[in-house]
Amino acid sequence: MSRKVPNRITLTIDGREIEADEGAMLVDAAKQGDIEIPVFCYEPKLGQPVGACRMCLVEIEGIPKLQTACSTPVRDGMAVHTRTEQVKEAQNGIVEFLLVNHPLDCPVCDKGGECPLQDISMGWGNDRNRVIDEKRHFEKPVPLSPLIAIDRERCIMCYRCVRFSQEVPEDAQLQILERGDRSYIGTFSEQPYIAPFSGNIIELCPVGALTSYTYRFRARPWDIEQGGSVCTLCPSQCNVSFTIRDEQVKRVLARDNPEVDDGWLCDKGRYGFQAMYSLDRVLNPLRYEGGYPVPATWPEAIETAAAGLREAGSRTAALVGDASNEEGFIVQSIVRDALGSADVDSRRAPAADRETVVALADPAISARTIDIDTADVVLVLGTDPIHSSPAFDLRVRKAVRRNGTALAVATDRPSALDGGATEVERYAPGEAANFLIELAAAVRSGADTGVAGLLRGAEEAVVVWGERIGRGQKGPEALAALLELAGSLGFADRPESGLIEIPDVANARGLREVGCLPDAGPGLSETAKGRDVEAIRAGLESGEIDSLLLFGVDPLRDFPDTEGWRRALEAAGHVVCFSMTATETTEYADVVFPLESHAEKDGTVTHPEGRLQRVRPSAKRPGDIHPGWMVLAELSAAIGHETGINSAPEALEAITEAVPFYGGLTGERIAGRGIRWQDGQAAEDFTATLLSTTAADPVPAGVAPAAAEGSAGEDSGGAPGGIRPTESSPAGRELNDSGALTLGTYRDLWADSTTDLSPALNYLMPAQRLEVSIADARRLGLSRGDEVSVNSGETSVNARVAIRGALAEGTCFLIEGTIEDNANVFSRGEPARVEIGRPEVKLDLVAAGGDGEAGEQ
Amino acid sequence: MSISPEEIKVVPRGPEPGGAGGAYRAFGETLRGLRTTMGRLFDEPVTIQYPEEKTPVYPRFRGRHKLHRFEDSHLEKCVGCSLCAAACPAECIRVVAAENDPENRVSAGERFAAVYEINLARCIFCGYCEMACPFDAITMGHDFEMADYNRSDLIFTKEMLLAEAIDRTPLRGEGE
Ligand code: SF4
Ligand code: SF4
Ligand code: FES
């Protein structure tokens, strides 16, 4: 089904003629005529109105009783009155009722000054309350979770928080306990409300019943300023608004952008601001002298960095990670134009080549984020959005719940979305290619069962796929099959169907498009082929590359093959590291430059759907931090190449000149909501220049998915939880008596430096755990919480056992990015076979307490 | 710049008093004034020896602020709600609140003022803060002697505002 354009109708409210969309709720229609109807429980973000609070009563001609404006759709010719005596009396009465039990502790209440209940009592209430009896009493405030305090006395039972928990992330942890006038909000058996999106209920609560521990009493609405920006902690790039007091971020609020985030934030985005003020933040340039960091002045640091890079010349490589488009653009220009090298990459492991990147970015086969809302079928492929890009998880859930979208999930590890899925396919770690080849073949041959059947039967379908399926030896095949799938499903001719890629890092798409790829320059243009991230590592180790520029990356934590990177960094002659915080990697640097956070930066980033968004400076840069683009431009000049960039807008201008399909996108046009470049004037340019020159045949030759022909159309045998044996990988299930398992790794939402450095989030930091299936656990004699060591050859990490029913036999999973026992030591392109043993050295691990489980019921 | 004769405007003077009128103007008024002077010559002096002596102020005189404690519990009345800061037209009040530790309370409510500062160099002594305060925690005292050598010394902190004012300003009694 596709998005419909609703009819316009006319109605009168308070004698004013108003035009509105047919089917819109009366409150919303009234807003268009500048008439305000007070509401408490109505919140369109939460889905259908419930009409619980009765605050919105209005008189409608022809209906004897008052009606709730929040749940009455408008009709043509309707006549509504919002200010009659009857309505006033009702409103007064409702406010009086709400205040029966509400303590008037506004001066100590955090919500005071930004409280809808205050506003509505002042605007629509009576100034007197006739109730003289004792109010309800509860202990106040009590922790609802380590992040949220609940004051039940203030609660007006609007159910917004409960509806959120039940209907948006669907964790169903919040409940109404007791009945009648004793009801209160809580969780069963007083468990803490731990969920990845819990913070949203603080914003939803119309009174001060739910407050944030990190913001409680920090400021009042008149002490603060709001600064809009974009959260760059994950690829969802949710729009945020920073609350600033004394030039520091005190709180992060959602800045509703229905096309990006639907007005929700995950707790990492909401509480992760604390990392900006952590003690580990690099506040000024550092030089390492004899292994010790010494503060350096900016000119000194730039000169030292430039001297090293100049000396290494074309034997320099650069890796870019947490960077804006502007920063990425200047880094690649330093490498290519100033140093004459071609070795630059923005990925953590090698993936798609230029042709494939271009083919996949084809606007015709790309979906927009909002296409998920109305698609008939969504296929989530090789990514678990709850970990990789939480906002997408909510969007997929919304489509399933509100639109009846059929969901298909195909991943290696059981995903949080499995529960709502119509079809679940599981492939062995690293075997996405086989699954995709089969799927593509099935679709081509007209199968009408399983995922293929779903996709073929859909009028509009969206495939949300993870960058990781393109990794490893079989990556190219997987992506070719994906392109073929898009081709045979005819995405190019279907306006609301297409692919969306969930990359591994927040601004991956932008960085690729501004030229941070080894084989593509700005605008994905053809350039001299340089080394990709793995070749850079190897080159450093072998001495072919001498100097390394790291911009916002931490290879020792985030990249596969930790040991290899350690050797590479040791071998590197000169390392320049731009980093927000001190990490293990910065210890290998010769010069460290501090980086701005997303509350301080001025620049643009590109959302996975191609939307350019602006990151705006809201808070003061702590210490002696300079803007990233400025430092890079100075560095480039010091090396001997003038960039001509003297301000942030000039940096954006340089990009829009260099990237043809970003043409004409100025800061003003991008503005607060962002703009997809595919909607800009230059989309045709992309098709004309890039697509015609690269792949006339979108499927690169040599990877014709013939391998799967045999199994095409065959019944998708794999029940959820079982690995689907594919012809080319009968492995999966296959066990060997040695007890070796196929290891897959995944990046947990909480396993990153933001969590370590934000005191409020600390408790969510997962300790390493080994997920095994019930059968394997039984066979290996493991039980929950056992300490084991996972070994592959020389490499080994310790972990605690977690048994997951949905896991396929023969596979096991570890978390990447944990502080200790990081699973990245295992990943060297292909999934490892690991043996499980007992650890020799007992390590005193902090109990995980099942934290990672939070969103995965 | 030269002024041309046309530009010059002649304003006629009033008639010059001469004779008796002139003499009165020269001496009469002076003598009248002298009479007052002479009349007071043997009176007590009325000079108030300011630093040693002070004019009493009216009870509702708005002088330097005071923060108060409860008399029984000695907890601070201020809960750090910042309403005074919101009301202040000179924007000279800064409140940073914090959460009370139930074991070791500072104020009676959930929150207290961790930082409470009034910049007296900016204060216009309008008394709006006193009116805004829902807890009668801040009142305008009678002290008006705040001159200092350093601007930053005029930023009064919570401790200074809470401290028992050295009651230097006498209060005017009933009917005075
Ligand atoms: S806690 Fe807040 S959001 Fe939840 S029911 Fe009470 S008033 Fe509504
Ligand atoms: S003095 Fe009164 S108004 Fe000012 S912060 Fe304290 S309690 Fe609030
Ligand atoms: S807003 Fe309409 S019933 Fe609550």
Side-chain angles (χ1 to χ4, degrees):
Chain A
M1 102 215 50
S2 49
R3 286 189 289 276
K4 294 177 218 74
V5 182
N7 298 331
R8 301 288 281 176
I9 52 124
T10 347
L11 71 159
T12 53
I13 303 183
D14 292 343
R16 221 180 270 187
E17 203 155 279
I18 287 165
E19 227 186 87
D21 285 348
E22 190 172 12
M25 294 301 160
L26 206 42
V27 249
D28 292 328
K31 269 184 216 147
Q32 295 180 14
D34 262 352
I35 293 169
E36 195 181 354
I37 300 175
V39 296
F40 274 117
C41 67
Y42 180 59
E43 174 53 77
K45 292 199 281 187
L46 291 173
Q48 288 303 309
V50 287
C53 73
R54 323 307 284 177
M55 190 63 233
C56 60
L57 292 172
V58 292
E59 202 176 314
I60 301 175
E61 275 176 26
I63 305 180
K65 285 193 178 171
L66 299 181
Q67 299 296 311
T68 49
C70 71
S71 43
T72 310
V74 290
R75 266 183 298 106
D76 201 25
M78 210 179 212
V80 183
H81 302 280
T82 71
R83 266 172 247 198
T84 58
E85 273 314 306
Q86 202 190 354
V87 172
K88 268 195 198 137
E89 203 191 323
Q91 287 169 338
N92 281 180
I94 298 289
V95 172
E96 201 176 329
F97 266 130
L98 287 174
L99 294 180
V100 163
N101 278 315
H102 190 82
L104 294 180
D105 55 0
C106 304
V108 289
C109 174
D110 236 14
K111 200 84 173 181
E114 49 184 16
C115 172
L117 183 61
Q118 278 182 336
D119 296 347
I120 290 176
S121 312
M122 294 297 284
W124 287 272
N126 206 340
D127 60 351
R128 231 143 285 257
N129 195 332
R130 283 164 291 176
V131 183
I132 49 165
D133 305 276
E134 187 70 11
K135 302 193 173 199
R136 302 205 295 172
H137 285 297
F138 285 102
E139 195 190 328
K140 63 192 271 175
V142 287
L144 184 66
S145 83
L147 298 173
I148 305 167
I150 182 166
D151 182 331
R152 298 193 166 108
E153 289 187 351
R154 293 184 191 146
C155 171
I156 57 165
M157 290 313 226
C158 69
Y159 303 169
R160 277 180 177 220
C161 53
V162 177
R163 276 164 72 204
F164 173 80
S165 155
Q166 318 249 344
E167 301 194 12
V168 181
E170 299 178 329
D171 56 50
Q173 293 188 50
L174 286 186
Q175 303 285 348
I176 298 161
L177 305 167
E178 291 283 1
R179 290 291 175 272
D181 69 341
R182 301 220 186 120
S183 12
Y184 66 94
I185 306 296
T187 52
F188 277 128
S189 57
E190 301 285 308
Q191 290 286 324
Y193 176 41
I194 293 175
F197 298 97
S198 66
N200 289 300
I201 60 172
I202 300 167
E203 255 183 270
L204 282 173
C205 183
V207 298
L210 298 168
T211 48
S212 146
Y213 274 118
T214 56
Y215 185 64
R216 265 169 83 77
F217 309 148
R218 297 299 195 283
R220 287 266 146 165
W222 47 87
D223 296 328
I224 57 176
E225 283 170 297
Q226 296 290 345
S229 187
V230 170
C231 173
T232 56
L233 296 177
C234 89
S236 313
Q237 293 182 7
C238 299
N239 291 191
V240 296
S241 169
F242 292 109
T243 295
I244 309 290
R245 185 180 190 188
D246 300 335
E247 302 184 315
Q248 280 198 348
V249 179
K250 297 286 171 190
R251 161 175 83 168
V252 183
L253 296 177
R255 184 162 61 84
D256 290 19
N257 187 348
E259 299 191 9
V260 175
D261 50 34
D262 259 339
W264 308 123
L265 287 186
C266 75
D267 287 356
K268 187 151 91 179
R270 189 178 296 275
Y271 294 98
F273 73 89
Q274 290 187 326
M276 297 173 196
Y277 305 109
S278 97
L279 291 177
D280 282 0
R281 180 103 192 244
V282 184
L283 295 173
N284 49 281
L286 300 171
R287 261 185 327 169
Y288 274 78
E289 273 170 20
Y292 291 99
V294 281
T297 63
W298 278 98
E300 257 169 40
I302 287 179
E303 201 23 65
T304 318
L309 293 175
R310 227 183 289 125
E311 195 179 312
S314 63
R315 289 169 63 228
T316 302
L319 293 170
V320 193
D322 177 17
S324 66
N325 293 344
E326 285 77 356
E327 290 161 342
F329 177 74
I330 310 180
V331 171
Q332 67 84 30
S333 137
I334 290 181
V335 174
R336 293 207 168 100
D337 308 334
L339 298 168
S341 162
D343 307 336
V344 54
D345 207 345
S346 56
R347 294 179 295 207
R348 291 173 175 175
D353 58 2
R354 172 175 173 268
E355 279 72 39
T356 319
V357 171
V358 170
L360 284 164
D362 177 1
I365 61 162
S366 305
R368 12 176 107 228
T369 318
I370 47 167
D371 288 342
I372 296 175
D373 295 351
T374 49
D376 301 287
V377 174
V378 171
L379 167 62
V380 174
L381 178 66
T383 184
D384 187 358
I386 194 76
H387 292 301
S388 56
S389 55
F392 279 90
D393 178 90
L394 292 188
R395 198 171 281 274
V396 172
R397 281 174 197 277
K398 175 173 129 189
V400 173
R401 170 173 281 268
R402 299 201 200 151
N403 187 44
T405 298
L407 172 65
V409 176
T411 50
D412 48 2
R413 179 175 173 271
S415 101
L417 289 169
D418 285 1
T422 315
E423 290 283 341
V424 177
E425 293 279 358
R426 199 106 301 147
Y427 51 79
E431 299 291 342
N434 297 316
F435 169 78
L436 262 170
I437 290 168
E438 250 180 53
L439 179 65
V443 167
R444 191 160 17 99
S445 67
D448 37 85
T449 49
V451 180
L454 270 185
L455 285 172
R456 275 173 22 87
E459 200 181 300
E460 298 290 354
V462 175
V463 179
V464 181
W465 60 282
E467 174 183 342
R468 290 176 176 223
I469 63 170
R471 284 195 187 163
Q473 248 174 23
K474 293 201 192 124
E477 283 174 54
L479 296 178
L482 184 64
L483 279 168
E484 202 222 312
L485 183 70
S488 46
L489 287 169
F491 280 176
D493 309 317
R494 295 205 253 162
E496 290 170 27
S497 297
L499 310 172
I500 298 189
E501 177 190 355
I502 308 289
D504 258 16
V505 293
N507 188 28
R509 177 158 196 165
L511 292 177
R512 285 178 215 166
E513 290 174 349
V514 298
C516 294
L517 279 183
D519 51 356
L524 298 176
S525 59
E526 246 178 309
T527 50
K529 199 162 154 40
R531 293 183 175 84
D532 64 21
V533 52
E534 174 49 31
I536 290 175
R537 194 201 60 72
L540 280 165
E541 214 179 320
S542 67
E544 281 162 49
I545 300 175
D546 189 43
S547 159
L548 182 63
L549 176 66
L550 297 172
F551 195 97
V553 290
D554 181 0
L556 293 183
R557 180 163 194 176
D558 297 334
F559 286 26
D561 195 3
T562 317
E563 278 317 311
W565 271 105
R566 208 182 304 270
R567 287 194 303 274
L569 286 171
E570 247 152 41
H574 179 72
V575 179
V576 179
C577 193
F578 286 76
S579 179
M580 214 180 109
T581 54
T583 61
E584 210 192 325
T585 303
T586 56
E587 284 166 24
Y588 288 89
D590 296 87
V591 188
V592 180
F593 289 108
L595 267 190
E596 300 160 290
S597 71
H598 56 291
E600 294 143 18
K601 207 175 259 189
D602 192 355
T604 58
V605 288
T606 309
H607 184 271
E609 64 163 355
R611 178 181 298 272
L612 270 84
Q613 307 203 80
R614 289 181 81 180
V615 181
R616 308 294 319 269
S618 322
K620 186 183 163 193
R621 289 184 291 268
D624 186 20
I625 300 179
H626 286 185
W629 61 264
M630 186 169 123
V631 181
L632 287 169
E634 282 170 12
L635 183 61
S636 182
I639 295 171
H641 179 261
E642 283 292 343
T643 51
I645 293 171
N646 296 305
S647 69
E650 271 177 22
L652 176 59
E653 231 169 80
I655 292 180
T656 50
E657 260 164 43
V659 182
F661 47 91
Y662 283 4
L665 298 180
T666 55
E668 288 71 42
R669 286 197 63 203
I670 298 170
R673 300 251 169 255
I675 180 168
R676 287 179 82 224
W677 61 254
Q678 292 94 330
D679 298 337
Q681 66 228 45
E684 280 113 57
D685 199 277
F686 184 93
T687 325
T689 56
L690 285 168
L691 287 175
S692 54
T693 57
T694 56
D697 164 23
V699 186
V703 280
E709 213 74 63
S711 53
E714 158 196 300
D715 185 23
S716 55
I723 283 195
R724 187 159 188 228
T726 52
E727 200 178 300
S728 38
S729 87
R733 274 179 194 289
E734 178 203 19
L735 289 175
N736 39 17
D737 300 328
S738 67
L741 302 173
T742 309
L743 174 75
T745 56
Y746 73 101
R747 187 73 190 224
D748 189 277
L749 171 62
W750 302 113
D752 71 6
S753 57
T754 311
T755 316
D756 322 336
L757 300 177
S758 308
L761 294 177
N762 266 184
Y763 76 102
L764 288 164
M765 185 74 215
Q768 188 55 275
R769 56 181 206 158
L770 176 75
E771 294 178 347
V772 289
S773 66
I774 300 177
D776 290 325
R778 200 168 287 150
R779 189 168 50 83
L780 297 167
L782 301 173
S783 48
R784 180 169 186 260
D786 277 4
E787 215 170 280
V788 291
S789 79
V790 184
N791 314 303
S792 162
E794 297 282 277
T795 328
S796 135
V797 303
N798 291 332
R800 288 200 183 256
V801 172
I803 299 173
R804 291 199 68 182
L807 210 64
E809 206 180 327
T811 58
C812 64
F813 283 88
L814 287 175
I815 306 172
E816 298 166 11
T818 50
I819 304 179
E820 276 172 7
D821 297 309
N822 189 337
N824 270 331
V825 293
F826 287 121
S827 4
R828 289 196 208 97
E830 299 306 312
R833 298 286 286 175
V834 291
E835 318 244 350
I836 316 293
R838 300 283 163 186
E840 285 145 41
V841 210
K842 277 273 175 209
L843 273 183
D844 200 11
L845 290 179
V846 188
D851 291 333
E853 211 77 75
E856 306 171 10
Q857 297 80 14
Chain B
M1 189 178 69
S2 64
I3 299 167
S4 64
E6 305 92 78
E7 282 180 74
I8 297 170
K9 218 174 192 175
V10 182
V11 183
R13 258 190 181 193
E16 292 282 326
Y24 179 75
R25 251 179 69 107
F27 302 110
E29 288 298 311
T30 312
L31 288 173
R32 213 152 64 94
L34 268 176
R35 194 176 75 199
T36 312
T37 313
M38 296 302 168
R40 297 272 181 223
L41 205 54
F42 302 103
D43 281 7
E44 290 273 294
V46 289
T47 310
I48 297 174
Q49 292 300 324
Y50 167 62
E52 292 83 28
E53 274 177 54
K54 284 168 196 174
T55 338
V57 297
Y58 288 97
R60 287 172 63 188
F61 178 84
R62 296 190 303 269
R64 204 252 295 152
H65 319 68
K66 285 191 214 165
L67 282 174
H68 299 278
R69 294 178 185 273
F70 286 106
E71 270 170 17
D72 45 0
S73 59
H74 284 278
L75 292 177
E76 285 169 20
K77 283 189 175 175
C78 174
V79 297
C81 69
S82 261
L83 286 178
C84 47
C88 179
E91 295 195 4
C92 63
I93 307 181
R94 178 180 138 89
V95 184
V96 180
E99 186 154 9
N100 257 317
D101 166 13
E103 308 289 281
N104 214 342
R105 293 195 156 276
V106 178
S107 78
E110 266 173 66
R111 62 197 277 165
F112 71 98
V115 174
Y116 192 102
E117 287 170 354
I118 301 186
N119 183 351
L120 288 174
R122 279 191 168 200
C123 177
I124 57 165
F125 298 95
C126 63
Y128 282 12
C129 47
E130 180 178 7
M131 273 192 265
C133 181
F135 293 96
D136 291 339
I138 189 165
T139 57
M140 306 298 280
H142 299 130
D143 196 1
F144 56 79
E145 301 165 304
M146 283 159 277
D148 217 317
Y149 294 101
N150 194 330
R151 272 170 224 270
S152 55
D153 288 347
L154 287 170
I155 298 176
F156 272 51
T157 62
K158 189 172 85 168
E159 287 63 39
M160 295 157 87
L161 293 165
L162 271 170
E164 202 54 56
I166 318 158
D167 228 355
R168 290 177 294 192
T169 319
L171 203 59
R172 209 175 278 253
E174 197 84 11
E176 254 180 88

